[in-house]
């Protein structure tokens, strides 16, 4: 066998190894997600809808999510993207942003009032 064939077979073996490894990782993540998907869990769908999981019907693959008190939405079970964990408090970040002095967002330099040109001071010599 020539060296080029050996290198090509080695690369093929590496590709197959990484393909199986990624497949196992995805399968483990999916199983962990399914374990967390229990009624009462705060969930987010693929299209960004947040709510509390009320029920999951495995036969029809339908999940019922309560988006606000008394308002429920039926979605396909595969649209449930993740379980929302406790997130850091955003108020602390907002205080830091208010204290920071920097550029004002959504304001153009064209919106600012025109500056008066400075006059050169005249000195009589």
């Amino acid at each position: 066998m020539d060296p080029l064939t050996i290198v090509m077979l080695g690369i093929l073996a590496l590709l197959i190894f990484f393909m199986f490894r990624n497949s196992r990782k995805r399968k483990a993540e999916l199983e962990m997600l399914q374990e967390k998907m229990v009624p009462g869990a705060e969930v987010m769908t693929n299209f960004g809808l947040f709510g509390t999981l009320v029920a999951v019907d495995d036969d029809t693959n339908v999940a019922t999510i309560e988006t606000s008190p008394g308002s429920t939405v039926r979605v396909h079970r595969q649209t449930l993207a993740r379980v929302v964990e406790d997130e850091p408090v955003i108020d602390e970040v907002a205080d830091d942003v208010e204290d920071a002095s920097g550029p004002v967002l959504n304001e153009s330099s064209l919106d600012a009032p025109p500056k008066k040109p400075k006059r050169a001071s005249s000195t009589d010599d």
Side-chain angles (χ1 to χ4, degrees), residues 22-33:
N22 289 339
S23 174
R24 277 187 271 140
K25 274 185 171 181
R26 269 189 249 115
K27 186 176 179 182
E29 288 174 359
L30 184 61
E31 287 175 4
M32 288 179 60
L33 180 65

Side-chain angles (χ1 to χ4, degrees), residues 94-111:
D95 292 338
D96 294 340
V97 172
E98 290 174 3
D99 295 340
S101 61
V104 178
L105 299 178
N106 295 330
E107 184 174 306
S108 171
S109 60
L110 300 175
D111 295 337

Side-chain angles (χ1 to χ4, degrees), residues 34-44 50-56 63-67 80 82-86:
Q34 292 301 322
E35 289 175 5
K36 292 180 181 180
M37 292 287 177
V38 293
E42 186 76 20
V43 295
M44 183 185 86
F50 288 90
T52 305
L53 188 62
V54 176
V56 177
T64 305
I65 301 172
E66 184 176 30
T67 56
L80 299 177
R82 67 182 179 104
V83 174
V84 179
E85 303 292 332
D86 292 334

